[in-house]
């Protein structure tokens, strides 16, 4: 089992009871998880692979996965910014798959 598959299992076990599911697009999910692991190796912490990290842990703490913006995006769109975490309804096609705009203030 690959490192990505192991981490997928750990995150799934931790997040699904909270109502956060992985997208049904497993190829995309594995790619995002690989990005998280790459960022952990690069910076020493797992920041969102869909955002530019500075390499400064303090400056990037808001985009460490799960990021500070996940909850609000999830409530509004049924998905986080990068579509890693989605609602059950999103996966079932019961709500539209709208583009989730960047919530992080541009000052970062």
């Amino acid at each position: 089992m690959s490192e990505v598959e192991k981490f997928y299992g750990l995150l799934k076990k931790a997040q699904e009871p909270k109502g956060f599911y992985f997208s049904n697009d497993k190829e995309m999910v594995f790619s995002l998880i690989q990005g998280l692991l790459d960022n952990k190796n690069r910076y020493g912490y797992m920041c969102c692979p869909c955002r530019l990290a500075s390499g400064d842990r303090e400056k990037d703490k808001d985009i460490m996965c799960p990021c500070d913006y996940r909850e609000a995006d999830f409530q509004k769109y049924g998905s986080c910014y990068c579509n890693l975490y989605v609602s059950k309804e999103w996966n079932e096609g019961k709500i539209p798959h709208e583009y989730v705009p960047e919530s992080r203030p541009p000052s970062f």
Side-chain angles (χ1 to χ4, degrees):
M1 184 180 291
S2 73
E3 186 179 11
V4 169
E5 290 170 316
K6 287 178 192 173
F7 200 56
Y8 172 86
L10 289 172
L11 290 176
K12 184 175 176 141
K13 190 174 181 179
Q15 297 300 318
E16 281 190 0
K18 299 175 189 175
F20 297 101
Y21 297 86
F22 285 126
S23 167
N24 287 334
D25 184 346
K26 206 166 186 177
E27 185 178 328
M28 180 202 64
V29 168
F30 277 25
S31 176
L32 290 169
I33 291 174
Q34 183 62 59
L36 287 171
L37 294 170
D38 290 345
N39 283 341
K40 182 179 181 189
N41 289 332
R42 184 179 296 127
Y43 304 117
Y45 51 92
M46 287 187 290
C47 52
C48 179
C50 297
R51 293 180 165 106
L52 292 176
S54 70
D56 179 324
R57 186 181 196 97
E58 186 60 29
K59 288 181 182 176
D60 293 339
K61 68 181 180 183
D62 65 318
I63 60 168
M64 286 186 208
C65 190
C67 73
D68 290 353
Y69 312 102
R70 177 179 78 165
E71 187 66 36
D73 289 344
F74 193 84
Q75 293 303 315
K76 187 170 183 179
Y77 300 100
S79 172
C80 69
Y81 177 63
C82 60
N83 299 135
L84 177 62
Y85 292 111
V86 300
S87 68
K88 189 175 182 180
E89 295 77 18
W90 193 94
N91 262 342
E92 293 172 350
K94 293 179 180 176
I95 60 173
H97 293 187
E98 294 181 49
Y99 170 75
V100 180
E102 174 63 91
S103 299
R104 191 178 198 207
S107 61
F108 287 95

